[in-house]
Amino acid sequence: MKHRILLLFIFFVPFLANAQDHSVARQWNDVLLEAIRNDFARPTVHARNLFHSSMMMYDIWAAYDDRAETVFLGKTIGEYTCPYDGVARDGNEATARDEAISYAMHALLTHRFKNSPGAEESLKLIEELFEAQGHDKSFVSTDYSAGNAAAFGNYIAENIIAFGHQDGANEAFDYTNNYYRNWNFPLAPELTTNPFLWDPNRWQPLTFEIFIDQSGNEIPGGAPEFLSPEWGLVTPFAMTESNLNIYEKEGSDWWVYYDPGKPPHIDTQNGGEESDQYKWGFSLVSLWSSQLDPRDGVMWDISPASIGNIDLADFPTDFADYPDFYDSFNGGDISKGHSVNPKTGQPYEPQIVPRADYARVLAEFWADGPDSETPPGHWFTLLNYVNDHPAFEKRYKGEGEILDDLEWDVKAYLTMGGAVHDAAIAAWGIKGYYDYLRPISAIRYMAEQGQSTDPNLPNYSAAGIPLQEGFIEQIQEGDPLAGANNEFVGQIKLYAWKGPDYIDEELLDFAGVDWIPANQWWPYQRPTFVTPPFAGYISGHSTFSRAAAEVMTLLTGDEFFPGGMGEFLAKKNEFLVFEEGPSQDIVLQWATYRDASDQTSLSRIWGGIHPPADDIPGRIIGEKIGIQAFNYAEKYFNNLPTSTQNTIAAEPTKLYPNPVKNGELIVVEGAFNNADVLVELFDYTGKLVDVKTIASFSNRLNIGFSKIDLANGLYQLKITGTDINLGYKIQIY
C-alpha cells in the first residue's frame, strides 16, 4: 500500500484537490485509472479500455466541431460500422459536450468494470462523479435525433460496447484464450528442481499456493494461464495489414504485427552462436541481480547529467551486438547523459545515490505494483503529470494557439490511447506466437544442466550456464553451500539477490546479496507474484513505454519534460513494497520522455523479468507504433488551425514522389503565382533539419535538400509564404 500512496501523491493530488479545474475528459480519465487499479492487472485489457474510452470522448468533442473529423462515429473499424447522421446543436456546444462525455463514460465504465474484483469501489467512484455533475443515471435513451446530449452519449457508448463484443478480444468470455496451450508444465518457484521444462525455448507457467497479481488480487487456481496470447487478433487503431504477418502454428492462425523474428534459442546438444546469445542474455539478468544490495558501496550519479540521451540509432539490431549496449558487470547501458538542461541553460545537478537503491526503486516504480494501473495506464498518469506542470503550455506539437483543456485532453488521450492499444496488440501477438520463456525458468534450467564454459571441468553441458568468476561459479568442497557431505559440490552458485526467504518483515528487512544455489534464484519481485503470467519476448514495458514516449515527444513538440526535468520521489524506507528501502530518498529523474522509456526497459532486467533479447525489439517496435499512431490520429485533426495540413487558398495541391529517395527532387504542384516561399524540413521529433527560400514557377515548386545525408524515416515538410501555408508528411529512404 506504500507504493500506491506515493503514486497518488505525485500524480493525483491535483485531481483530488482541484477536479473542478480539469476538463470533463480528465475527470473521467482519472476515474478510469482508479478503476484499472481496482481490477485484475491485465495490461492488454486496460490498454483497450483506455483506447476505447479515449476514442469515444474524442468523437463526442469532434461531433460538435465543424473542423474536426470523427474516428468511430459514422465509420467502419474492422468489421463494425457505427451509423451516425450528425448531432443537432443549439448553440450550447460546450455544455452538450460535457454532458455527452459524462453519459458515455458512465455507461462504458459501468459495463467494463461491473465484474472486476474491486467493482464496489470502482462503481461508487463512477456514480459519485456522475452525480456530482448533476446527471440522471435513470436516463438511458439513445435517441439523439433531436440533439439530446445525454442520449448522444448513451448512443456512442452503446456502439463502443457492441464494437468491443466483436473486435477479437473475446470480451464476452472475460478475455479467455481460445486455442493457446502452454508447452511446458508449471514451475513451483519455492522448489529447487524444475523437472517439467520440456522445451527451454518456450514459456513455462508458474504455480503458487497463492498467486497475487500486481493489482493485489488473489487469482484462484494456483497457476495463472497465459494472458492474451491471441491478442494479435484484436482490431487495432493505426496499424494496417502492411504491418501484419499471419502464421500457422500447431493448427491455429497467429496474427503478428511488426514481426521482429525469433529470439535466440538454445541448442541443448550442439551449442553454437545462437545458444551463446541465449546464455549471455539470461546470465546478464543474474549478474544484474548482484547489484541489489545497498551495502555494496557502489554509488552512481542518477541525474540526467549521466543517464539518458540514447539515440534510436544506438540500439543494436543484431543479437550479437547486444553485449556492446549493456554493461554486464556494472549495470546500465551506453547512456551519454545530457550536458545541459536546455530549458534553464544550466548543467543538470548530480544526484549521487547507492546504485542498489536506484535499481530497486526502478524495478518497483516501473512495475506499477502492487496497486497497479498497468504500464499503459502508468503512461497516462505521466501524461497527466505533464499536463498539470506549471511550465507546460497546451500547444499542439508545441505550435500555434494554446488549446482549451478539453480539446487538448481529448486529442492527447486519443493519440496516447491508440498508441498503447496498438503496442499491446503488437507485443502480445509476438508473445503468443514466439512463446518465449522467462529468466526464472532459463536461469534455473541452465544451472541444472551444469556449466558450459570448460569441458574439462565437472558438470559440463552444452546447455549449461557460462561461468563468470565472482558471479557464476561452481560450488567447491568447503564452500558453505557444499552441504554437510559435500553433496552439492560441482553444482552452480550465483552471487545474486538472496530472495524472499530472507525477508521476515517487509517493513524492516531486506534480503541483500550473497552466494546462493542457482536453483534457488528469484527475480526481484514478490514471492506471490514472481513473474508476469505471459511470455517474455517481446517486453510489453519496452513497447508500451517507447510508443508512449514518441507520442509525448510529437504531441508536445518537445522531447524534454517541461522545465527539462520529470521527477518522482521515492521516500527512504517507505517506497519499496516487499523489502525495506530505499536506504535514502531517491528521486527518479528524466530529461526526456525517451529517457524515461529507456529507464523502464532497464528496470525489467534489474527486476529479473526480461533479458536484453526481450527489451531492444520492444523499444524499436514501440518507436514505430508511437509515430504511426500519432500520424494516424493527426489526420483527424487536420482541418484545425493547429494542424499543418492546410492548403493554399483552398486550391488543391499535389506532392510527388512520396516516399522520396534521399537526394531526389520533390515536386509540389499548386497555385503559387511565382511567389518566393520558405521551405522547412523537420524530422519526426520536430527538429528543424533544413531550411531554404525558393522561387516557384507559376504552378510548381522543385524542392531539393542541401543535406544529402538525411536519415531514413518520416519528416514534415512545411511551405509558407504570402497566403501560403502547406504541410506534408513525407518519407525519405
Side-chain angles (χ1 to χ4, degrees):
M1 187 59 67
K2 298 177 294 182
H3 185 268
R4 184 182 187 189
I5 291 171
L6 281 169
L7 281 178
L8 286 172
F9 178 78
I10 293 295
F11 294 125
F12 298 112
V13 162
F15 162 65
L16 295 174
N18 302 295
Q20 68 275 12
D21 296 332
H22 287 138
S23 76
V24 66
R26 168 63 181 276
Q27 294 176 46
W28 281 107
N29 181 254
D30 280 326
V31 168
L32 169 56
L33 289 169
E34 191 61 23
I36 290 172
R37 297 182 191 104
N38 295 331
D39 197 8
F40 295 114
R42 299 180 289 191
T44 50
V45 172
H46 295 310
R48 177 175 172 269
N49 284 330
L50 287 159
F51 168 56
H52 286 183
S53 63
S54 297
M55 180 169 63
M56 187 172 67
M57 290 193 291
Y58 170 80
D59 266 19
I60 291 171
W61 177 87
Y64 289 97
D65 192 287
D66 292 330
R67 302 162 298 171
E69 183 181 354
T70 57
V71 179
F72 181 73
L73 287 165
K75 305 294 174 58
T76 297
I77 299 181
E79 301 296 323
Y80 190 87
T81 299
C82 177
Y84 175 59
D85 298 322
V87 62
R89 308 180 197 175
D90 61 3
N92 294 310
E93 282 78 10
T95 300
R97 278 176 173 147
D98 286 1
E99 184 175 10
I101 286 173
S102 289
Y103 272 86
M105 289 295 287
H106 177 268
L108 179 64
L109 300 192
T110 300
H111 168 76
R112 290 280 170 89
F113 293 97
K114 62 186 177 183
N115 295 320
S116 78
E120 182 177 357
E121 181 178 349
S122 296
L123 296 180
K124 180 181 178 183
L125 288 172
I126 294 167
E127 295 301 328
E128 285 178 348
L129 177 57
F130 193 67
E131 291 175 2
Q133 294 168 337
H135 302 311
D136 178 8
K137 68 179 181 180
S138 68
F139 182 82
V140 294
S141 172
T142 59
D143 181 5
Y144 67 93
S145 58
N148 186 294
F152 183 48
N154 287 338
Y155 175 77
I156 189 170
E158 179 181 74
N159 276 274
I160 289 284
I161 291 169
F163 168 66
H165 281 143
Q166 55 79 68
D167 70 341
N170 203 21
E171 180 185 337
F173 294 93
D174 199 27
Y175 312 100
T176 54
N177 303 332
N178 289 313
Y179 47 79
Y180 173 84
R181 297 292 182 271
N182 50 276
W183 192 260
N184 295 304
F185 284 5
L187 163 68
E190 70 275 10
L191 301 181
T192 58
T193 60
N194 186 12
F196 301 122
L197 186 67
W198 312 123
D199 185 343
N201 294 308
R202 299 189 68 168
W203 181 67
Q204 181 178 36
L206 302 181
T207 184
F208 304 83
E209 183 176 339
I210 298 175
F211 175 71
I212 300 175
D213 74 6
Q214 283 189 275
S215 291
N217 299 300
E218 184 175 333
I219 308 298
E225 67 173 10
F226 193 132
L227 173 72
S228 306
E230 302 147 14
W231 209 251
L233 294 166
V234 175
T235 302
F237 171 57
M239 295 189 299
T240 68
E241 290 185 359
S242 66
N243 311 127
L244 173 66
N245 288 294
I246 301 175
Y247 301 116
E248 192 278 335
K249 184 181 74 171
E250 296 163 5
S252 300
D253 285 341
W254 298 84
W255 289 37
V256 178
Y257 290 87
Y258 286 110
D259 180 16
K262 76 179 182 69
H265 280 195
I266 190 170
D267 184 331
T268 61
Q269 300 299 316
N270 304 307
E273 182 180 8
E274 191 177 344
S275 290
D276 291 343
Q277 294 165 0
Y278 174 107
K279 290 184 280 188
W280 171 83
F282 285 111
S283 294
L284 179 133
V285 179
S286 173
L287 297 180
W288 284 25
S289 181
S290 71
Q291 299 160 10
L292 301 175
D293 192 329
R295 298 169 300 190
D296 64 14
V298 178
M299 305 294 287
W300 273 14
D301 175 18
I302 65 167
S303 76
S306 298
I307 292 178
N309 196 18
I310 298 176
D311 296 327
L312 179 64
D314 294 328
F315 293 153
T317 56
D318 190 299
F319 291 123
D321 298 327
Y322 279 32
D324 295 329
F325 184 85
Y326 299 90
D327 190 330
S328 297
F329 300 106
N330 298 305
D333 53 26
I334 60 171
S335 286
K336 300 181 287 289
H338 301 267
S339 59
V340 66
N341 182 333
K343 307 304 180 184
T344 65
Q346 299 298 313
Y348 286 100
E349 183 177 349
Q351 182 189 173
I352 310 300
V353 305
R355 173 187 60 183
D357 281 340
Y358 172 67
R360 292 188 300 160
V361 168
L362 281 194
E364 180 62 34
F365 176 74
W366 289 112
D368 301 329
D371 292 278
S372 170
E373 62 267 7
T374 75
H378 199 165
W379 278 93
F380 267 79
T381 68
L382 285 170
L383 172 60
N384 288 335
Y385 164 79
V386 169
N387 292 344
D388 291 342
H389 197 287
F392 181 64
E393 293 183 334
K394 296 177 179 178
R395 302 181 192 272
Y396 182 66
K397 298 196 298 187
E399 302 173 344
E401 63 188 19
I402 295 177
L403 303 185
D404 67 65
D405 289 346
L406 180 58
E407 180 177 356
W408 173 266
D409 286 343
V410 295
K411 290 180 178 178
Y413 291 161
L414 173 67
T415 311
M416 181 67 78
V420 297
H421 177 60
D422 281 1
I425 293 170
W428 265 257
I430 293 165
K431 287 175 183 287
Y433 179 65
Y434 287 107
D435 201 33
Y436 203 45
L437 79 170
R438 293 282 189 166
I440 188 170
S441 297
I443 291 171
R444 292 192 183 193
Y445 170 81
M446 290 189 296
E448 281 192 18
Q449 308 313 302
Q451 56 86 17
S452 60
T453 299
D454 189 345
N456 298 314
L457 291 176
N459 289 347
Y460 174 81
S461 169
I465 195 168
L467 298 177
Q468 183 61 55
E469 184 177 359
F471 297 95
I472 304 172
E473 297 182 358
Q474 288 185 296
I475 297 173
Q476 306 294 327
E477 290 188 12
D479 191 303
L481 300 176
N485 300 308
N486 288 317
E487 62 268 27
F488 302 123
V489 168
Q491 294 187 14
I492 302 297
K493 64 177 182 178
L494 306 174
Y495 192 68
W497 185 65
K498 292 192 292 184
D501 289 344
Y502 291 84
I503 302 170
D504 292 326
E505 175 51 60
E506 294 174 348
L507 296 178
L508 301 175
D509 302 331
F510 67 94
V513 168
D514 204 345
W515 288 104
I516 61 171
N519 57 14
Q520 297 177 30
W521 181 86
W522 288 78
Y524 186 71
Q525 305 289 328
R526 287 172 289 127
T528 53
F529 175 73
V530 182
T531 289
F534 40 83
Y537 183 80
I538 58 175
S539 166
H541 275 71
S542 292
T543 313
F544 283 130
S545 297
R546 190 68 184 200
E550 295 302 319
V551 164
M552 294 184 73
T553 299
L554 293 166
L555 186 69
T556 63
D558 193 343
E559 61 183 318
F560 286 85
F561 276 84
M565 180 89 83
E567 293 187 328
F568 174 84
L569 172 64
K571 293 290 292 182
K572 174 182 178 180
N573 291 334
E574 292 183 15
F575 177 71
L576 297 182
V577 171
F578 53 88
E579 68 172 359
E580 185 187 42
S583 65
Q584 66 178 65
D585 286 355
I586 300 293
V587 181
L588 299 183
Q589 296 177 321
W590 321 288
T592 71
Y593 304 115
R594 296 188 188 100
D595 290 347
S597 169
D598 292 338
Q599 193 183 81
T600 308
S601 299
L602 296 186
S603 78
R604 305 306 275 170
I605 301 177
W606 270 307
I609 298 300
H610 287 293
D614 297 350
D615 170 23
I616 296 296
R619 299 198 211 189
I620 293 172
I621 292 171
E623 182 260 347
K624 294 176 181 177
I625 288 171
I627 295 172
Q628 184 179 31
F630 178 85
N631 289 336
Y632 187 75
E634 185 178 48
K635 79 176 190 176
Y636 295 100
F637 316 151
N638 65 6
N639 289 321
L640 298 173
T642 52
S643 172
T644 62
Q645 304 297 318
N646 300 318
T647 62
I648 306 170
E651 290 290 331
T653 61
K654 181 179 180 181
L655 177 146
Y656 58 88
N658 191 15
V660 58
K661 187 175 181 179
N662 204 336
E664 286 187 347
L665 287 177
I666 291 177
V667 177
V668 183
E669 294 182 350
F672 292 99
N673 300 320
N674 294 310
D676 288 340
V677 296
L678 180 69
V679 177
E680 298 170 286
L681 185 70
F682 299 83
D683 68 14
Y684 74 94
T685 70
K687 178 182 178 182
L688 180 66
V689 296
D690 203 0
V691 60
K692 61 181 61 182
T693 300
I694 62 176
S696 67
F697 295 94
S698 183
N699 66 344
R700 65 185 291 162
L701 295 174
N702 295 319
I703 302 172
F705 301 114
S706 56
K707 291 188 176 182
I708 60 173
D709 58 346
L710 293 169
N712 295 347
L714 291 172
Y715 290 80
Q716 180 183 355
L717 179 66
K718 297 184 70 174
I719 304 170
T720 55
T722 303
D723 296 326
I724 297 172
N725 185 10
L726 285 167
Y728 301 93
K729 286 289 187 289
I730 62 172
Q731 183 174 356
I732 296 178
Y733 67 95

